[in-house]
Amino acid sequence: MPVISSIKREYLSKLAEHGKRADGRKFDEFRKIEIETGVASRAEGSARVKIGNTQVIAGVKMDVGEPYPDATDCGVLTTAAELIPMASPDFEAGPPREDAIELARVVDRGVRESEVVELEKLCITAGEKVWVIFVDIHILDYDGNLFDAASLAALAALFTTKVPAKRFELGEDYPLPLRDPPVSCTFVKYNGVVVADPSLDEEEIAEARLTVATDKNEDIRAMQKGLSGSLTREEIKKVIKSSVDNGKEIRKILYKSIGK
Amino acid sequence: MKSKSDVKLIDGHGKRIDGRMPHDLRKIKIEAGILHRAEGSCYLEWGGNKVLAAVYGPREAVPKHTQNPLRAIVNARYNMAAFSVEDRKRPGPDRRSREISKVISEALEKVILTDKFPRASIDVNIEVLDAEAGTRCAGLTAAGVALADAGIPMKDIPVACAAGKIEGHVVLDLGKEEDNFGDADLPVAISPRTGEILLMQMDGHLTLKEFDEALDLAIKGCHIVSDIQKKAIMSKYESVLEVE
Amino acid sequence: MPEEKREIVIPSQFLGDVKKNKAGHGTFIENGKIYSARLGILSKREGEEYINVTPLKGRYDPIEGDFVIGIVEEASASSWLVDINAPYPALLHVNEVPWDVEFGETEKYLNHGDSIMAKISQVDVAKKIQITLKDRNLYKIKGGHIIEFEPSIYRRIMGKKYSMIELIQKYTRCRIFVGKNGRVWIDGDAEGIEKVLQAIYKIEREAISFGLTNRIEELLKKDAKDVR
């Protein structure tokens, strides 16, 4: 388990005092984002996302199952994230750790609470049979900012998903019914500065982390603060504004990848 | 494997369902060094299979009681992504994955120079992203490239390929329907330099003569794939050599 | 002097016969034949007995006498456990530091996250590694920046007769300590450090190519300061 040297920590902090980041990015700048869809042909929908060197793959599988008792005429959506050992020397095989669980739940909430998937249109027989959507996210290469990479991969996979009606003899395949997606942006704070899309080193020295998901109307759809440091109201306001701005650009990249 | 079907797997001219002839391999594409954190990595496409292999190590083996004071232990972990198959697979290792992990670990151990790293482990992660028959061969082949890419000292680069029998004919590299409805499946891994067999499993029904034929064919297939592996490892560096 | 050919070899590649040559680094012998054990560059010159393979990739293999940069993981009562970017951690005993450390007071001197320049003093058969700070120019590092690089390119960063590292120091006016274990410490002003980093990343990417020293010099010359 490599320790981050305090020298590196101090160097990054010093750079921050001069308005710089180690990789030359501006404070509110994201790394290069690449999205490729249709990477797993047996999945109903899939996507591979790269943010800098961080790489994530998401696959959507669908099945027919029972609805939740409190939503008997809606489809079911579950999200799972796996921090597979391939992605980092620090990940071990075995039951999901807290980070994996937090990651999956944040991504799941982002997708579910934003009502991106029109679950009410995925009912087959009310109270008995509905469409069940499984979103499985695999982290392949961990170089900072898993939240945004995972959310983006989940969205791109969902947006290219075809409901496999034919296989279940329920008619012809059709695209999964979806609304406009919210886009999540993650920021970390260290040495008094707040930066977007943290690199691995920046995450290691981060005191606080904030993920904000915004939609095309610039409304806030989800938020998650992590780590034990604090954020001021001013900092939160700046993060929201940056999320909206970056969100716009990321949404464009997402739409391009799904052919919109 | 045992169910009969009215799917015709091979015609009178030897043409198979996907248009291949009995001794044809599916299309293979290999790329080395595609991950940033892992010491070595490989992305491999084999027919409809898509696998990723990543190597970490050598590093001190944990937990401590697993350490071998004389050599490194090789931990291969084969896993299929939930979305890699038609009917979603529940995440986590099942008995099949555990068995495949074990036979792959044993195959790799034979060619890695493990005595250079006492008390260490060499961890190989194989992730199947898209599955279409022959995933263990694809996985082991990708692992071989990832190990070389990681700079692990080895006596050879291990490679695997399967042969099988469909409707009485011995053929190379079974596809999905052939695996489901054929008569036998024989995945084999070798050390291409010496011809030593590192992994071999057989499912189905073969006469002694058919077995010999299938084994020969699988080994021939291994050598073809070995060339593709080696080209993939070299190509990462050859382009750099040309920079002047 | 004929242009040195750089041949890349891979594990299992046949290199020569024991009758004519001796097996050097990165090789193994089987049935009287010498093969490459690594992905690396072949070194087999006319008239030279030894066949060596210089690895292109691979973790740092600690050797007694190597100078390395370590990062302290934890302090125990009479020693520290230090990460030296190798398959194994290293032990630094209180007897091997230039300070007078009382039992249980180790944390006063070195703590989790501190960086040190050290020397590998012992590697035993089980690869238990010990390091020492008792040598000139070894100490706890302050200031500057530390990055990691592929350990196999250490020689390229130093260059023939230190030509490469001196070139980098000349143009950037930074103090640079290159650890054999794939870690380098750089101290200077922000611009200088940035230039050193760029040079090292370029060397990493193009390690096996020819004419690298010239290209690095060109890179460093771009808006360079006055060269002394």
Side-chain angles (χ1 to χ4, degrees):
Chain A
M1 230 86 6
V3 181
I4 187 166
S5 72
S6 34
I7 290 204
K8 189 182 260 194
R9 187 186 291 270
E10 278 154 30
Y11 179 70
L12 290 174
S13 296
K14 224 168 85 177
L15 279 182
E17 279 166 25
H18 292 103
K20 292 207 169 111
R21 293 168 81 170
D23 57 9
R25 281 188 283 155
K26 298 208 247 331
F27 283 175
D28 59 1
E29 197 183 331
F30 264 68
R31 289 167 291 179
K32 179 163 172 232
I33 298 177
E34 287 170 51
I35 306 179
E36 199 191 332
T37 58
V39 295
S41 64
R42 252 149 282 272
E44 270 68 81
S46 60
R48 185 178 67 99
V49 167
K50 274 181 88 167
I51 301 187
N53 285 318
T54 293
Q55 228 182 121
V56 171
I57 188 169
V60 174
K61 290 296 297 173
M62 290 185 67
D63 200 353
V64 169
E66 279 176 21
Y68 286 134
D70 57 349
T72 54
D73 56 354
C74 287
V76 169
L77 172 71
T78 68
T79 309
E82 272 208 73
L83 301 179
I84 58 179
M86 138 170 342
S88 161
D90 304 331
F91 293 170
E92 280 151 32
R97 323 144 6 135
E98 285 171 1
D99 323 9
I101 295 174
E102 192 195 4
L103 180 68
R105 286 177 61 82
V106 169
V107 174
D108 178 84
R109 262 210 305 283
V111 173
R112 183 197 305 281
E113 303 298 329
S114 64
E115 298 175 341
V116 157
V117 182
E118 300 188 78
L119 292 173
E120 64 283 3
K121 290 190 177 159
L122 292 171
C123 177
I124 302 167
T125 312
E128 285 176 34
K129 267 178 16 171
V130 299
W131 284 108
V132 179
I133 305 169
F134 296 97
V135 181
D136 287 289
I137 302 169
H138 272 38
I139 311 297
L140 303 176
D141 212 350
Y142 174 32
D143 203 21
N145 197 5
L146 292 182
F147 283 105
D148 295 350
S151 301
L152 208 50
L155 284 177
L158 285 167
F159 270 84
T160 52
T161 296
K162 289 242 166 15
V163 179
K166 217 177 192 163
R167 188 163 20 114
F168 292 87
E169 290 165 357
L170 290 166
E172 289 298 310
D173 290 352
Y174 60 94
L176 191 63
L178 299 157
R179 298 191 180 87
D180 283 302
V183 171
S184 93
C185 293
T186 298
F187 299 75
V188 298
K189 173 177 169 180
Y190 60 89
N191 198 31
V193 301
V194 177
V195 299
D197 180 29
S199 67
L200 186 66
D201 284 342
E202 289 169 339
E203 273 186 9
E204 295 239 20
I205 64 173
E207 296 148 19
R209 185 188 66 229
L210 182 60
T211 300
V212 178
T214 54
D215 65 17
K216 65 170 191 190
N217 299 322
E218 305 190 0
D219 292 333
I220 305 168
R221 304 304 292 266
M223 277 181 128
Q224 175 91 347
K225 178 198 168 284
L227 305 176
S228 50
S230 64
L231 293 160
T232 65
R233 287 290 297 267
E234 200 45 53
E235 285 164 344
I236 294 174
K237 238 170 100 174
K238 279 205 188 126
V239 163
I240 294 174
K241 166 117 196 358
S242 189
S243 294
V244 168
D245 294 337
N246 275 301
K248 279 203 185 90
E249 290 310 308
I250 297 173
R251 193 170 286 108
K252 279 193 200 137
I253 299 173
L254 174 63
Y255 282 164
K256 192 147 172 237
S257 76
I258 61 181
K260 241 175 148 176
Chain B
M1 280 272 15
K2 311 290 181 198
S3 51
K4 284 294 165 222
S5 135
D6 38 23
V7 178
K8 188 96 181 89
L9 294 171
I10 187 165
D11 72 11
H13 302 282
K15 201 150 170 237
R16 296 148 78 173
I17 273 193
D18 56 4
R20 283 187 289 151
M21 295 306 282
H23 294 193
D24 287 343
L25 277 172
R26 287 172 290 177
K27 182 151 167 258
I28 299 174
K29 190 177 103 171
I30 305 182
E31 226 185 306
I34 42 86
L35 293 180
H36 183 78
R37 293 300 297 281
E39 307 281 345
S41 57
C42 170
Y43 173 68
L44 186 150
E45 285 180 7
W46 188 327
N49 290 309
K50 294 191 176 84
V51 306
L52 256 180
V55 170
Y56 283 102
R59 50 187 179 176
E60 258 190 340
V62 288
K64 215 156 171 207
H65 67 80
T66 63
Q67 288 181 10
N68 182 329
L70 300 172
R71 61 179 60 88
I73 58 176
V74 178
N75 291 323
R77 183 180 169 265
Y78 163 100
N79 187 54
M80 295 185 78
F83 46 78
S84 61
V85 283
E86 187 95 319
D87 292 322
R88 178 180 180 258
K89 181 188 166 291
R90 280 185 64 190
D94 57 13
R95 291 157 66 91
R96 176 181 170 273
S97 304
R98 282 225 191 83
E99 191 211 350
I100 296 177
S101 301
K102 181 169 185 286
V103 295
I104 291 183
S105 298
E106 288 164 355
L108 299 179
E109 219 174 282
K110 190 75 175 58
V111 290
I112 295 176
L113 293 164
T114 51
D115 51 8
K116 292 194 190 287
F117 305 105
R119 301 185 300 113
S121 71
I122 294 170
D123 300 314
V124 183
N125 258 259
I126 299 164
E127 202 72 20
V128 178
L129 305 173
D130 220 341
E132 195 227 350
T135 55
R136 81 193 66 193
C137 291
L140 189 146
T141 301
V145 174
L147 286 164
D149 184 52
I152 303 284
M154 297 191 282
K155 290 198 289 189
D156 206 346
I157 302 171
V159 64
C161 188
K165 186 172 96 174
I166 55 173
E167 289 164 6
H169 291 83
V170 168
V171 299
L172 181 62
D173 189 23
L174 299 183
K176 192 166 91 160
E177 290 86 0
E178 295 169 340
D179 192 23
N180 288 337
F181 304 118
D183 307 322
D185 181 24
L186 179 71
V188 174
I190 62 167
S191 160
R193 180 175 58 87
T194 62
E196 283 170 297
I197 294 174
L198 309 170
L199 178 156
M200 188 174 68
Q201 296 177 285
M202 205 282 279
D203 232 324
H205 189 170
L206 290 171
T207 66
L208 203 48
K209 183 162 173 288
E210 284 167 343
F211 169 74
D212 278 335
E213 208 188 319
L215 186 57
D216 272 342
L217 195 51
I219 290 174
K220 274 205 188 86
C222 283
H223 284 292
I224 298 174
V225 180
S226 176
D227 280 340
I228 306 176
Q229 277 179 317
K230 290 173 176 162
K231 282 205 181 75
I233 295 166
M234 301 283 278
S235 71
K236 226 182 98 180
Y237 296 94
E238 274 164 354
S239 53
V240 181
L241 258 184
E242 285 152 31
V243 175
E244 199 60 50
Chain C
M1 177 85 161
E3 168 112 296
E4 198 192 315
K5 259 204 308 171
R6 268 181 200 155
E7 189 186 341
I8 302 172
V9 294
I10 55 176
S12 80
Q13 198 164 332
F14 172 70
L15 302 178
D17 222 279
V18 196
K19 294 197 190 97
K20 291 198 199 140
N21 299 101
K22 288 214 171 78
H25 299 300
T27 65
F28 69 95
I29 301 174
E30 204 171 277
N31 298 330
K33 304 224 184 309
I34 303 171
Y35 300 94
S36 173
R38 309 286 296 265
L39 165 65
I41 308 250
L42 175 64
S43 174
K44 181 187 179 181
R45 295 215 180 88
E46 280 305 314
E48 271 186 29
E49 265 193 311
Y50 275 91
I51 297 180
N52 292 307
V53 174
T54 309
L56 283 171
K57 287 280 297 269
R59 299 207 71 189
Y60 167 61
D61 187 24
I63 296 175
E64 287 177 14
D66 278 355
F67 286 98
V68 299
I69 293 178
I71 302 176
V72 178
E73 280 185 29
E74 67 181 54
S76 310
S78 59
S79 62
W80 296 268
L81 194 65
V82 181
D83 162 26
I84 54 165
N85 195 27
Y88 314 89
L91 196 79
L92 176 63
H93 197 264
V94 288
N95 295 333
E96 294 298 328
V97 300
W99 321 297
D100 206 359
V101 185
E102 299 278 333
F103 186 84
E105 306 243 290
T106 47
E107 278 177 351
K108 282 197 178 151
Y109 297 86
L110 287 173
N111 245 307
H112 175 91
D114 282 338
S115 309
I116 51 175
M117 287 183 202
K119 187 172 91 171
I120 310 272
S121 56
Q122 195 187 79
V123 180
D124 72 11
V125 272
K127 299 278 188 166
K128 293 238 155 95
I129 301 165
Q130 296 204 51
I131 54 175
T132 181
L133 285 187
K134 278 188 164 166
D135 201 308
R136 37 186 211 105
N137 301 327
L138 296 181
Y139 50 85
K140 175 172 161 181
I141 305 173
K142 286 196 174 77
H145 186 32
I146 291 180
I147 60 152
E148 294 185 353
F149 60 89
E150 182 59 54
S152 350
I153 63 153
Y154 171 84
R155 283 236 178 87
R156 283 300 246 158
I157 294 182
M158 298 309 270
K160 278 201 190 93
K161 299 187 190 167
Y162 302 121
S163 51
M164 183 75 89
I165 190 69
E166 280 173 3
L167 184 69
I168 300 174
Q169 278 168 325
K170 184 169 90 166
Y171 279 97
T172 61
R173 308 226 287 218
C174 285
R175 286 158 69 201
I176 308 175
F177 177 85
V178 188
K180 271 248 173 84
N181 62 336
R183 281 201 183 123
V184 54
W185 175 71
I186 311 158
D187 199 12
D189 63 28
E191 256 183 76
I193 294 180
E194 186 52 43
K195 265 251 134 72
V196 175
L197 293 179
Q198 280 178 36
I200 292 179
Y201 294 146
K202 191 173 173 73
I203 297 172
E204 235 185 351
R205 280 191 311 270
E206 302 173 20
I208 58 169
S209 62
F210 294 103
L212 185 58
T213 316
N214 290 337
R215 289 202 302 282
I216 295 293
E217 185 159 18
E218 272 168 46
L219 170 73
L220 295 166
K221 268 191 185 150
K222 272 198 292 175
D223 28 70
K225 326 153 181 265
D226 304 299
V227 168
R228 253 184 251 173

